[in-house]
Amino acid sequence: MPPDTILIADDEACITFMLGTRLEESGFKVLVASDGDDALALALANRPTVIVTDFQMPRMSGLELAQRLRESDTTRSIPLVLLTARGHRLTPTELRDTNVQHLMSKPFSFRELLGIIQDMCRDNRAQRKAAA
Amino acid sequence: MALSRLLRTLLPGDEVLIAGFGLGAAAVVVAASGTLWWLTSMTERRTLEESREKMVAALGDSMAQSVETMLGNSEVSAVRRLVADAARDAGLSVCRVTLGDGKILADADPSRITAQTLPDQWPPLIDQPPATDGRTLELNISGKGKARLELVAQNASTSLANSRNTAVVGMVAACSLVGLGVVYRLSRRRTRGLGAIDDALSHLSAGEKELAALEVSPTLGEQASAWNSLLRELVSLRNRELLASDPGRAAGGENRDGYFAAACNALWHGLVVADDSLNITYANGAAAVFLGARRETLIGRPLIDVLGDSPNVAPLRSLADGTNRGRIVVESPLAASGQDAVFRISARRLRAGEGSGTVLLIEDVTQQRVADKARNAFVAQATHELRAPLTNIRLYVEALLDKPDSDVPTRSKHLNVVNQEARRLERIVGDMLSVSEIEAGTMKLANDDVRLVTLFEEIENDFRISAQAKGITLKFTVPPKLPVIVGDRDKIVLALSNLVGNAIKYTPAGGLVSVVVRAENDSLRIDVTDTGIGIAENEAELVFERFYRSKDRRIEGITGSGLGLALARQVVRLHGGDITLASELNKGSTFTLTLPARANISLAA
């Protein structure tokens, strides 16, 4: 069984480095983007299983990315974890018609994030099995 | 009625009454005079007739004798002359001599003579009824026959009375006219005053509002003066009423009220007074400006309409029914001042005993709200900036704890990140403190001996990892020997860190950030050059403004408080130096920081 691919998007290099290193150690294939544009291009090209993105990024915000993913059949159903500063409140209206499935406040624990990603990958496999 | 109508057309309305009275009086006088005249004339007539009868009798007797003599001598023409003379002199209507057959021998009127000459045979006298109002005498002419002398006195009393009657009526009429004139003259002043008042009243009923315009000339008499003083009393009453509701319009009134009106108008806050039904009764100049209307046009308009339909002002409606007697404070834009302006409207109904109505104070709080928004944005931004290093510290420490057996280079790398992020936290906290110090005006500079070489090593160390992570070359060119300067070390680090941090932040991967330090004579010059996105010329000064962030779309999503450059310049200027900018869009920017070698520190901001 091929490993699940996780796309990480954040303009903080230290974060993508650490998350990438630890996700690879956990058996995932990792893609890294430093802004929203990059992330959208990588998502369309590689169709990752899960996307983890920061809210505040250059060029395209994490929320905008989550909306743009809906525009393509390739990426419409990819679950997304949005990392936000706790001070930033997102309204249900803002989250409607996006891929956002989980909001996570910074700072966060890697183990907590890993648990969420693993759940999402399991759900994804179950759905594919049901469809097949 | 016809008379009064005639008088009305001839005389001014106010004089009809008086003229009527005058004429009435004259009529009474005329009637009395007439009666008197009639009584006297009746008596006089009788007397006159008696004396006339006597005179005609006497005249007849003397004439009879003369005529008998003359006719005896056949002197007809002499008789005729006598008759004519007597008739004329005595004023007789009939004076004639007739023969027995009725022929007229002599007459006062010669045309009536029918017997031209004396007859040869004198006819006998025919019986004739005696004249009613005259005298008929029988003449006996010796040797000839009989004739008759008729005398009828002219209706002298009638003619006399007629002329006298005319004179009396004329005199009475003249007296009446004189009396009327006197009455008119006497009443003239009074009636003119009343007429002027009558005119004023008709103006009043025609809608004249300005009471002062209704005053009449005081020379028109007592009534005019009384009317004027009545008017003045009314005017002062009305003014007092106006003052109670509208001190502003009474600027020309008593000094005290004018003073308060001027004071209200000079307020920079809007002041509005409304009545119980929330209709505006007063608005000062500032209120008129805020509400976008001239003061006069605001008066009488419903307050709620004027304030606009913003839901924010809805609570003010509760003032109308009088249930809410507390203070209501709302904040709302006003239609007339645009959506960006924010006003705080405080309203309170006057309590019983204070009068009726509602007082509103309108304050422009736009600037306060802008500052609040900037402060809130700064706090949100600052917390976000704090979360980024905290996230890194937590992730890297978690990794170290999860893998205690990882190799030394990995552990060392993780610890470095933790150290670097802790320094970043320090800087952010320092920035926030500096902002609050500058905002509060309490920034003080420490007097440290600053060893510049060490300082630049530290800064290079702080940014090396983040530059590497972004694929940016960070190059420091620092001369081996630099002077020690006196200044606030933390603040200088803050300023330099902001410049270097910005350079890395706004330079794409693969770029170069160089820091060149030069000691020049008495000053230190530091150029921080990047190959980033650059800053448009029109924003070159604006980027030093507090909370200003470039409008360049490429920096959307890049975190920043809008404070870094403002703070950096502020602290460098406090040291007697400055920060200047040379930039070209898409090529990069150079921020030049100069510091006096012996920094002349101003101890307070």
Side-chain angles (χ1 to χ4, degrees), chain B residues 18 34 194 196 260 271 394 490 526 559:
Chain B
I18 299 308
L194 289 172
F260 282 124
L271 181 67
R394 183 160 181 190
D490 290 347
I526 304 147
T559 61

Side-chain angles (χ1 to χ4, degrees), chain B residues 127-160:
Chain B
D127 277 337
Q128 193 184 340
T132 50
D133 52 356
R135 185 178 166 95
T136 306
L137 294 147
E138 226 175 84
L139 302 171
N140 286 308
I141 297 110
S142 50
K144 293 191 172 163
K146 287 192 176 188
R148 215 181 257 131
L149 173 67
E150 288 174 39
L151 293 176
V152 175
Q154 198 180 48
N155 198 354
S157 61
T158 308
S159 76
L160 185 69

